[in-house]
Amino acid sequence: MRGKRLSRVLVCAAAVPAVLITAGCSSGSGDSKGKGADSSAQQSAAGSTQPSGSASATVQAAAYTKLPDACAVLSKGTLSDLVPKGTSGKKGSSDDPASRASCSWSSLDNNGVKGSQFRWLNVSLLRFDSDTTRGSGDAQAHTFFGRQVKDAGSVDGAKNTKEIPLSGTGAEATAVRYDLKKKEGLFKQQTVVARVENVVVTLDFNGAGLAGEKTPDADDLTKSAEKAIKEAVAAVSSANGGSSAGSGAKAPASPSQSAPKSSSSASPSKSPSKSASSSASPSKSAAGKG
Protein backbone atom coordinates (compact mmCIF):
# COMPACT_ATOMS: atom_id res chain seq x y z
CA MET A 1 0.00 0.00 0.00
CA ARG A 2 2.82 2.34 0.89
CA GLY A 3 4.58 1.52 -2.38
CA LYS A 4 1.47 2.36 -4.41
CA ARG A 5 1.11 5.74 -2.69
CA LEU A 6 4.80 6.58 -3.38
CA SER A 7 4.36 5.66 -7.05
CA ARG A 8 1.35 7.98 -7.27
CA VAL A 9 3.33 10.90 -5.83
CA LEU A 10 6.15 10.38 -8.33
CA VAL A 11 3.74 10.26 -11.27
CA CYS A 12 2.11 13.53 -10.17
CA ALA A 13 5.46 15.22 -9.70
CA ALA A 14 6.39 14.42 -13.30
CA ALA A 15 3.03 15.48 -14.74
CA VAL A 16 2.36 18.91 -13.19
CA PRO A 17 4.38 22.08 -12.36
CA ALA A 18 6.22 22.04 -9.07
CA VAL A 19 4.12 24.91 -7.69
CA LEU A 20 1.02 22.67 -7.85
CA ILE A 21 2.55 19.41 -6.54
CA THR A 22 1.73 20.10 -2.91
CA ALA A 23 -1.82 21.23 -3.61
CA GLY A 24 -2.76 18.52 -6.14
CA CYS A 25 -0.72 15.47 -5.19
CA SER A 26 0.22 15.45 -1.51
CA SER A 27 -3.26 14.44 -0.45
CA GLY A 28 -5.25 11.67 -2.05
CA SER A 29 -8.47 12.69 -0.34
CA GLY A 30 -8.96 16.07 -2.22
CA ASP A 31 -9.95 17.82 1.04
CA SER A 32 -10.96 21.49 1.27
CA LYS A 33 -7.52 22.54 2.51
CA GLY A 34 -5.86 21.20 -0.62
CA LYS A 35 -8.37 22.97 -2.88
CA GLY A 36 -7.78 26.28 -1.12
CA ALA A 37 -4.02 26.10 -1.60
CA ASP A 38 -4.48 25.23 -5.29
CA SER A 39 -6.79 28.21 -5.81
CA SER A 40 -4.41 30.56 -4.02
CA ALA A 41 -1.45 29.42 -6.12
CA GLN A 42 -3.35 29.93 -9.38
CA GLN A 43 -4.48 33.43 -8.38
CA SER A 44 -0.93 34.35 -7.37
CA ALA A 45 0.48 33.14 -10.71
CA ALA A 46 -2.17 35.04 -12.66
CA GLY A 47 -1.53 38.21 -10.72
CA SER A 48 2.20 38.08 -11.51
CA THR A 49 1.63 38.12 -15.29
CA GLN A 50 -1.35 40.45 -15.75
CA PRO A 51 -0.89 44.22 -15.41
CA SER A 52 -3.04 46.02 -12.90
CA GLY A 53 -6.10 47.60 -14.43
CA SER A 54 -5.69 50.66 -12.22
CA ALA A 55 -2.15 51.47 -13.40
CA SER A 56 -1.88 54.24 -16.00
CA ALA A 57 1.05 55.56 -18.00
CA THR A 58 2.36 58.94 -16.87
CA VAL A 59 4.79 61.41 -18.40
CA GLN A 60 6.59 64.50 -17.15
CA ALA A 61 4.49 67.64 -17.64
CA ALA A 62 5.72 70.18 -20.19
CA ALA A 63 7.66 73.07 -18.64
CA TYR A 64 6.26 75.80 -20.89
CA THR A 65 2.56 76.15 -21.61
CA LYS A 66 2.50 79.14 -23.98
CA LEU A 67 4.49 81.08 -26.55
CA PRO A 68 5.30 84.79 -26.78
CA ASP A 69 4.21 86.96 -29.70
CA ALA A 70 6.73 85.99 -32.37
CA CYS A 71 6.83 89.55 -33.73
CA ALA A 72 7.82 90.85 -30.28
CA VAL A 73 10.63 88.47 -29.30
CA LEU A 74 13.35 90.76 -30.69
CA SER A 75 14.17 94.26 -29.45
CA LYS A 76 14.04 97.30 -31.71
CA GLY A 77 17.82 97.56 -31.48
CA THR A 78 18.32 94.01 -32.68
CA LEU A 79 15.86 94.45 -35.52
CA SER A 80 17.64 97.66 -36.51
CA ASP A 81 20.91 95.70 -36.67
CA LEU A 82 19.58 92.73 -38.64
CA VAL A 83 17.05 94.46 -40.89
CA PRO A 84 18.03 98.17 -40.85
CA LYS A 85 15.53 99.16 -43.50
CA GLY A 86 13.05 96.59 -42.36
CA THR A 87 9.34 96.59 -42.77
CA SER A 88 7.01 95.80 -39.89
CA GLY A 89 7.04 92.16 -38.88
CA LYS A 90 4.68 89.94 -40.81
CA LYS A 91 3.04 87.42 -38.54
CA GLY A 92 2.73 83.89 -39.91
CA SER A 93 -0.59 82.09 -39.99
CA SER A 94 -1.18 79.46 -37.30
CA ASP A 95 -4.08 77.23 -36.36
CA ASP A 96 -2.87 77.19 -32.75
CA PRO A 97 -0.90 80.27 -31.55
CA ALA A 98 -0.14 78.55 -28.24
CA SER A 99 1.82 75.82 -30.04
CA ARG A 100 3.30 77.45 -33.14
CA ALA A 101 4.06 81.02 -34.15
CA SER A 102 6.32 82.88 -36.56
CA CYS A 103 7.18 86.36 -37.80
CA SER A 104 9.30 87.65 -40.69
CA TRP A 105 10.93 90.91 -41.71
CA SER A 106 12.65 92.06 -44.92
CA SER A 107 14.98 94.97 -45.59
CA LEU A 108 16.23 96.58 -48.82
CA ASP A 109 18.80 99.33 -48.41
CA ASN A 110 18.97 100.95 -51.85
CA ASN A 111 22.26 102.69 -52.60
CA GLY A 112 21.33 103.83 -56.08
CA VAL A 113 23.80 102.96 -58.83
CA LYS A 114 25.96 101.13 -56.29
CA GLY A 115 23.26 98.54 -55.79
CA SER A 116 21.32 97.41 -52.70
CA GLN A 117 21.83 95.48 -49.51
CA PHE A 118 19.10 92.91 -48.93
CA ARG A 119 18.28 91.24 -45.62
CA TRP A 120 15.58 88.74 -44.69
CA LEU A 121 14.80 87.50 -41.18
CA ASN A 122 12.33 84.95 -39.85
CA VAL A 123 11.75 83.67 -36.32
CA SER A 124 9.63 80.59 -35.72
CA LEU A 125 8.56 78.99 -32.44
CA LEU A 126 7.23 75.48 -31.93
CA ARG A 127 6.03 74.20 -28.55
CA PHE A 128 5.53 70.53 -27.70
CA ASP A 129 3.04 69.23 -25.13
CA SER A 130 3.81 66.14 -23.11
CA ASP A 131 1.86 63.11 -24.23
CA THR A 132 1.69 59.53 -22.94
CA THR A 133 2.15 58.21 -26.49
CA ARG A 134 4.89 60.54 -27.79
CA GLY A 135 6.65 61.20 -24.49
CA SER A 136 7.63 64.35 -22.66
CA GLY A 137 7.58 67.74 -24.35
CA ASP A 138 11.32 68.11 -23.72
CA ALA A 139 12.10 64.80 -25.44
CA GLN A 140 9.94 65.65 -28.46
CA ALA A 141 11.53 69.10 -28.73
CA HIS A 142 15.01 67.54 -28.53
CA THR A 143 14.18 65.23 -31.44
CA PHE A 144 12.73 68.08 -33.50
CA PHE A 145 15.76 70.25 -32.74
CA GLY A 146 18.05 67.63 -34.25
CA ARG A 147 15.87 67.34 -37.32
CA GLN A 148 15.85 71.12 -37.85
CA VAL A 149 19.65 71.30 -37.66
CA LYS A 150 20.00 68.43 -40.13
CA ASP A 151 17.52 70.01 -42.57
CA ALA A 152 19.26 73.37 -42.36
CA GLY A 153 22.52 71.81 -43.49
CA SER A 154 21.10 69.86 -46.41
CA VAL A 155 19.67 72.59 -48.66
CA ASP A 156 20.06 71.99 -52.38
CA GLY A 157 22.76 74.16 -53.92
CA ALA A 158 24.31 75.17 -50.59
CA LYS A 159 28.08 75.76 -50.62
CA ASN A 160 30.62 76.14 -47.82
CA THR A 161 28.21 74.73 -45.25
CA LYS A 162 29.41 75.11 -41.67
CA GLU A 163 27.76 73.86 -38.48
CA ILE A 164 28.59 75.69 -35.25
CA PRO A 165 27.42 74.40 -31.83
CA LEU A 166 26.52 77.26 -29.49
CA SER A 167 26.71 77.42 -25.70
CA GLY A 168 24.72 79.48 -23.25
CA THR A 169 21.65 79.56 -25.47
CA GLY A 170 18.80 77.49 -24.10
CA ALA A 171 19.35 73.80 -23.44
CA GLU A 172 21.05 73.27 -26.81
CA ALA A 173 21.68 75.43 -29.85
CA THR A 174 23.43 75.15 -33.22
CA ALA A 175 24.09 77.63 -36.02
CA VAL A 176 24.27 76.44 -39.61
CA ARG A 177 25.55 78.77 -42.31
CA TYR A 178 26.25 78.44 -46.01
CA ASP A 179 26.39 80.30 -49.32
CA LEU A 180 23.62 80.06 -51.88
CA LYS A 181 23.98 81.41 -55.40
CA LYS A 182 20.84 82.86 -57.01
CA LYS A 183 20.17 84.95 -60.07
CA GLU A 184 19.95 88.07 -57.87
CA GLY A 185 23.35 87.47 -56.27
CA LEU A 186 25.25 85.44 -53.70
CA PHE A 187 23.24 84.99 -50.50
CA LYS A 188 24.81 84.34 -47.11
CA GLN A 189 22.38 82.19 -45.13
CA GLN A 190 22.39 81.72 -41.35
CA THR A 191 19.98 79.31 -39.64
CA VAL A 192 20.20 79.14 -35.85
CA VAL A 193 18.18 76.51 -34.00
CA ALA A 194 17.78 76.51 -30.21
CA ARG A 195 15.79 74.45 -27.75
CA VAL A 196 14.62 75.79 -24.42
CA GLU A 197 12.82 73.08 -22.45
CA ASN A 198 9.87 71.97 -24.64
CA VAL A 199 10.12 74.83 -27.17
CA VAL A 200 12.25 74.98 -30.33
CA VAL A 201 13.20 78.38 -31.76
CA THR A 202 14.44 78.57 -35.35
CA LEU A 203 15.90 81.82 -36.69
CA ASP A 204 16.61 82.19 -40.41
CA PHE A 205 18.64 85.20 -41.50
CA ASN A 206 20.18 85.88 -44.88
CA GLY A 207 21.79 88.77 -46.66
CA ALA A 208 23.05 89.64 -50.12
CA GLY A 209 24.58 92.50 -52.05
CA LEU A 210 22.41 93.11 -55.12
CA ALA A 211 23.05 94.92 -58.39
CA GLY A 212 26.76 95.46 -57.75
CA GLU A 213 26.75 95.92 -53.96
CA LYS A 214 29.35 93.89 -52.07
CA THR A 215 28.41 90.58 -50.47
CA PRO A 216 27.92 90.92 -46.69
CA ASP A 217 30.43 89.30 -44.35
CA ALA A 218 29.22 85.88 -43.15
CA ASP A 219 30.87 86.25 -39.74
CA ASP A 220 29.05 89.51 -39.10
CA LEU A 221 25.72 87.96 -40.08
CA THR A 222 26.33 84.95 -37.85
CA LYS A 223 27.13 87.13 -34.83
CA SER A 224 23.94 89.11 -35.36
CA ALA A 225 21.89 85.92 -35.70
CA GLU A 226 23.39 84.47 -32.50
CA LYS A 227 22.52 87.64 -30.58
CA ALA A 228 18.96 87.50 -31.89
CA ILE A 229 18.39 83.84 -30.99
CA LYS A 230 19.43 84.55 -27.39
CA GLU A 231 16.76 87.25 -27.19
CA ALA A 232 14.14 84.94 -28.66
CA VAL A 233 14.99 82.16 -26.19
CA ALA A 234 14.79 84.62 -23.28
CA ALA A 235 11.40 85.82 -24.54
CA VAL A 236 10.03 82.27 -24.40
CA SER A 237 11.14 81.87 -20.80
CA SER A 238 9.85 85.32 -19.86
CA ALA A 239 6.43 84.58 -21.36
CA ASN A 240 6.17 81.63 -18.97
CA GLY A 241 7.24 83.54 -15.88
CA GLY A 242 10.99 82.83 -16.01
CA SER A 243 14.13 84.69 -16.97
CA SER A 244 16.45 82.42 -18.95
CA ALA A 245 15.40 78.91 -17.95
CA GLY A 246 17.02 75.97 -19.65
CA SER A 247 20.32 77.72 -20.37
CA GLY A 248 22.24 75.05 -18.53
CA ALA A 249 19.93 72.11 -19.10
CA LYS A 250 21.07 68.86 -20.63
CA ALA A 251 19.41 66.93 -23.42
CA PRO A 252 16.24 65.33 -22.04
CA ALA A 253 15.99 61.74 -20.97
CA SER A 254 13.92 59.32 -22.98
CA PRO A 255 10.19 59.35 -22.16
CA SER A 256 10.54 56.16 -20.11
CA GLN A 257 12.93 57.97 -17.77
CA SER A 258 10.74 61.01 -17.28
CA ALA A 259 9.40 61.87 -13.87
CA PRO A 260 5.94 60.37 -13.23
CA LYS A 261 3.88 63.52 -13.51
CA SER A 262 0.67 63.42 -15.46
CA SER A 263 -0.14 66.05 -18.02
CA SER A 264 -3.59 67.26 -18.90
CA SER A 265 -2.25 69.42 -21.70
CA ALA A 266 -1.26 66.61 -24.03
CA SER A 267 -2.17 67.10 -27.65
CA PRO A 268 -1.77 63.74 -29.39
CA SER A 269 -3.63 64.99 -32.44
CA LYS A 270 -0.97 67.59 -33.25
CA SER A 271 1.92 66.29 -35.29
CA PRO A 272 5.34 67.73 -34.47
CA SER A 273 6.15 67.66 -38.15
CA LYS A 274 3.96 70.73 -38.62
CA SER A 275 6.57 73.33 -37.82
CA ALA A 276 5.68 76.83 -36.73
CA SER A 277 8.03 78.02 -39.35
CA SER A 278 6.49 79.74 -42.26
CA SER A 279 10.08 80.69 -42.77
CA ALA A 280 10.86 79.92 -46.26
CA SER A 281 13.81 77.85 -47.10
CA PRO A 282 16.61 80.06 -48.41
CA SER A 283 15.49 79.36 -51.96
CA LYS A 284 12.23 81.19 -51.21
CA SER A 285 13.54 84.01 -49.11
CA ALA A 286 14.89 86.69 -51.37
CA ALA A 287 13.93 85.69 -54.86
CA GLY A 288 11.82 88.30 -56.50
CA LYS A 289 12.20 90.77 -53.64
CA GLY A 290 15.39 92.42 -54.83
Side-chain angles (χ1 to χ4, degrees):
M1 185 70 177
R2 182 176 179 183
K4 291 183 178 179
R5 179 175 297 179
L6 178 59
S7 297
R8 184 181 175 209
V9 170
L10 293 175
V11 170
C12 288
V16 297
V19 71
L20 300 180
I21 289 175
T22 302
C25 297
S26 63
S27 174
S29 62
D31 57 16
S32 59
K33 184 176 179 180
K35 291 180 180 179
D38 184 43
S39 176
S40 175
Q42 290 178 354
Q43 290 175 359
S44 175
S48 66
T49 58
Q50 295 178 0
S52 171
S54 61
S56 58
T58 58
V59 66
Q60 182 178 3
Y64 293 149
T65 59
K66 58 184 177 180
L67 295 175
D69 179 352
C71 290
V73 297
L74 302 180
S75 67
K76 290 182 179 179
T78 297
L79 288 173
S80 178
D81 178 31
L82 272 68
V83 281
K85 299 292 182 179
T87 57
S88 298
K90 181 180 179 181
K91 187 173 294 187
S93 59
S94 172
D95 57 354
D96 185 0
S99 295
R100 53 178 64 85
S102 65
C103 192
S104 62
W105 299 260
S106 62
S107 170
L108 185 64
D109 187 2
N110 193 333
N111 296 313
V113 294
K114 294 183 178 180
S116 304
Q117 282 292 334
F118 176 82
R119 299 289 185 275
W120 183 82
L121 170 67
N122 186 90
V123 176
S124 68
L125 311 166
L126 186 62
R127 186 182 66 83
F128 294 83
D129 276 323
S130 293
D131 176 77
T132 53
T133 300
R134 294 192 179 98
S136 71
D138 280 26
Q140 294 178 68
H142 172 66
T143 299
F144 183 73
F145 165 84
R147 193 158 66 240
Q148 285 287 82
V149 171
K150 182 178 179 180
D151 289 348
S154 57
V155 174
D156 289 343
K159 302 292 184 182
N160 304 318
T161 302
K162 187 176 182 181
E163 189 173 304
I164 309 167
L166 305 178
S167 60
T169 305
E172 50 190 334
T174 299
V176 179
R177 76 186 203 188
Y178 53 84
D179 300 337
L180 192 63
K181 182 69 175 178
K182 302 182 186 179
K183 63 180 181 180
E184 297 89 355
L186 179 63
F187 285 77
K188 297 288 185 175
Q189 170 70 28
Q190 331 292 313
T191 297
V192 189
V193 187
R195 178 182 70 83
V196 52
E197 306 294 354
N198 57 308
V199 175
V200 176
V201 182
T202 304
L203 185 145
D204 288 296
F205 179 48
N206 66 46
L210 308 179
E213 256 284 20
K214 65 178 182 179
T215 301
D217 183 77
D219 290 335
D220 290 341
L221 295 181
T222 300
K223 289 178 181 178
S224 295
E226 290 176 5
K227 175 185 176 182
I229 197 75
K230 289 180 183 289
E231 285 190 16
V233 165
V236 173
S237 180
S238 179
N240 288 272
S243 54
S244 57
S247 60
K250 298 180 180 179
S254 63
S256 61
Q257 297 174 326
S258 300
K261 297 179 182 178
S262 61
S263 170
S264 59
S265 61
S267 310
S269 62
K270 296 184 178 113
S271 170
S273 62
K274 295 182 179 179
S275 168
S277 172
S278 62
S279 78
S281 63
S283 61
K284 298 180 182 177
S285 59
K289 293 184 180 180

